[in-house]
Amino acid sequence: MLLQELETRLDAAFSLLENSVIQHQQLWRQDFQSLQHQLEQCQAREAQLREHNAILVGKLNSLDTSPDRNPLLHKIKIISSHIDALAKDAAAFRQSCQLSSTR
């Protein structure tokens, strides 16, 4: 095999490798941007849930504390616990997105 032919083959292989790396970088950038967008949406949703939860807690604190005299209080506590769970899920998702974006 001639040296020139070997050089041509190596150049072609390097070009293929370079194109492959560029394509993978583009895909990784797109994935990162998608994850970043999802993270921002989760953070916004988490902020909404926290705000809603704060409003509900404020209302809950202003109500009569006896569940026997106010059945609405019991329902509000259940809703509040669901909102807390959603906020925790959103925070966990946000953390997993942050971990994914640092890799």
Side-chain angles (χ1 to χ4, degrees):
M1 185 181 295
L2 296 174
L3 184 59
Q4 191 176 25
E5 184 182 338
L6 180 60
E7 185 179 343
T8 302
R9 286 185 178 186
L10 281 174
D11 285 343
F14 282 129
S15 290
L16 287 173
L17 179 61
E18 183 179 22
N19 289 338
S20 175
V21 168
I22 289 170
Q23 287 176 343
H24 280 91
Q25 285 176 336
Q26 289 172 345
L27 288 173
W28 293 332
R29 261 189 227 103
Q30 290 171 351
D31 288 345
F32 175 77
Q33 288 172 348
S34 175
L35 288 171
Q36 190 69 30
H37 181 68
Q38 289 177 10
L39 174 61
E40 290 167 3
Q41 288 178 327
C42 288
Q43 288 171 333
R45 180 71 177 137
E46 181 182 9
Q48 289 174 343
L49 289 172
R50 288 186 188 279
E51 190 175 313
H52 191 239
N53 192 38
I55 291 169
L56 288 176
V57 167
K59 288 180 180 180
L60 181 65
N61 289 336
S62 68
L63 292 175
D64 185 358
T65 58
S66 171
D68 295 332
R69 294 193 313 205
N70 192 344
L72 182 59
L73 178 64
H74 180 70
K75 291 178 183 177
I76 290 175
K77 285 183 180 181
I78 291 173
I79 292 170
S80 179
S81 67
H82 285 289
I83 291 172
D84 285 339
L86 287 172
K88 286 178 185 175
D89 287 345
F93 181 75
R94 186 177 95 200
Q95 285 180 335
S96 71
C97 287
Q98 286 173 338
L99 291 176
S100 297
S101 67
T102 58
R103 291 183 186 167

